[in-house]
Amino acid sequence: MGMIFFCSPIVSIFTDRLGCRTTAAMGAAIAFIGLLCSSFTKSLEVRYFTYGILFGCGSSFAFQPSLVILGHYFKRRLGLANGIVAGGSCLISVPLPFFLKMVGKAIGLAHTFQVLSALMLIQIFLSMTYRPTLPPSCDSQHDGQDKLGSRSARQQCWAQTRRYFNLRVFRRKTYRIWAFGIATAVLGYLVPYMHLVKYVEKRFKETKKDWILLVCLGGMSGLGRLVSGRIGDCIPGLKKIYLQVASFMLLGILCMMIPQCQGFEGVIVICLFLGLCDGFFTTIMAPIAFELVGPMQASQAIGYLMGLMAVPMTAGTPIAGYLNDYFGNYDAAFYFAGVPPIIGALVLSVVPLVHQRMLKKQRLDSGKDKMLVSEAVVNGELLPGCPASEAHM
């Protein structure tokens, strides 16, 4: 999971330069090789590379273009389209644990990896359907100009670095607040997913029905993605962020309620709402990125956001495991997991207010200087050289 998010900034560069189709196909091929190699390895250390790094990196390259390509086809109903696509993964994630358990017992771990690699092989061909409709990054129009003229090797190297590692999205204050708010919130995001089954086994001595928790999380997450996508389309502009605020706030409260449950049934109820919160947060992420920076920079925005999420999201689960080892129970781990989402929700709630203040200041400035009116693009900045007509796509 950490590699999927950690590689996202690099994936955004490949997506902008090579397109969604090529990037996704290349990622699926890398993931296929990683899974296939994992089937032939006997050492856990080697599998850290083949499964953890190679498969994780390939999955990142295959995953992010699936979010970006939706912006090429949908505008008014982008949230619903994103919810349907994201909800599809939940239809697989619910029965997948039972399938893997059955296949693993029947043919062994090595052949199970080979079966999974076949799914990634199919993904290579599915990614060929990613046909972009928006024009490529407008920076490519200046490639020839950058090469003209007399420039030193150092200047050319710096120009190429700036062109590929485009940090323009961070110039927008609203994006900076949003990105760092989410990075804070996801510190405890994966803790329930990684430790809840072990907690139930240790607290309630429940080992035969613990699979119900995974089904509840996956099923309700799929429902939440479908519902939140449709709701997000009905909410104008950056007010969509309030859906993330509500989901993170509720997620934090629910995590802290887990140690208070007196029975296994109470944990099931919490898992239902946890899955719902997960669905709301996941689906609305891409539409908000399009609102903040516009369609031409959405790939960069999503990539840098996931890169910022990588470290806290990965670090949360071992911290929770350490707390369990130190205190002898998972209570402190779940209390810890509930604090960052609440803090992140409070940070995210500021974004629409800052955006409105920026628009108000922009209108005041445009009254003083009419030349600024043409530059006031509500849907985010476009890359240099793009026609003005693309601002209304």
Side-chain angles (χ1 to χ4, degrees), residues 353-392:
L353 303 178
V354 174
H355 180 68
Q356 290 297 325
R357 185 180 301 176
M358 290 172 60
L359 289 179
K360 184 177 181 181
K361 182 180 179 181
Q362 197 174 52
R363 286 193 292 265
L364 292 176
D365 292 341
S366 65
K368 299 177 183 178
D369 188 356
K370 294 182 179 180
M371 294 296 294
L372 296 178
V373 175
S374 61
E375 299 176 5
V377 181
V378 177
N379 198 28
E381 295 180 358
L382 298 180
L383 295 174
C386 289
S389 60
E390 292 179 6
H392 304 286

Side-chain angles (χ1 to χ4, degrees), residues 137-208:
S137 172
C138 296
D139 279 352
S140 60
Q141 300 177 5
H142 301 284
D143 289 354
Q145 299 177 7
D146 289 341
K147 296 178 181 179
L148 297 177
S150 56
R151 284 191 175 190
S152 64
R154 181 179 179 182
Q155 289 175 331
Q156 291 182 10
C157 181
W158 176 245
Q160 293 292 324
T161 302
R162 289 186 62 186
R163 181 162 60 89
Y164 284 102
F165 291 91
N166 178 15
L167 298 176
R168 185 176 286 106
V169 292
F170 285 101
R171 296 179 185 176
R172 298 188 65 84
K173 181 186 291 186
T174 49
Y175 176 78
R176 293 198 303 268
I177 299 174
W178 180 64
F180 286 105
I182 290 183
T184 301
V186 297
L187 179 60
Y189 182 74
L190 289 180
V191 172
Y193 291 89
M194 298 297 181
H195 294 289
L196 195 56
V197 171
K198 201 69 177 179
Y199 166 77
V200 168
E201 293 176 356
K202 186 176 181 180
R203 175 77 179 271
F204 303 109
K205 312 300 181 187
E206 184 62 66
T207 58
K208 295 182 179 180

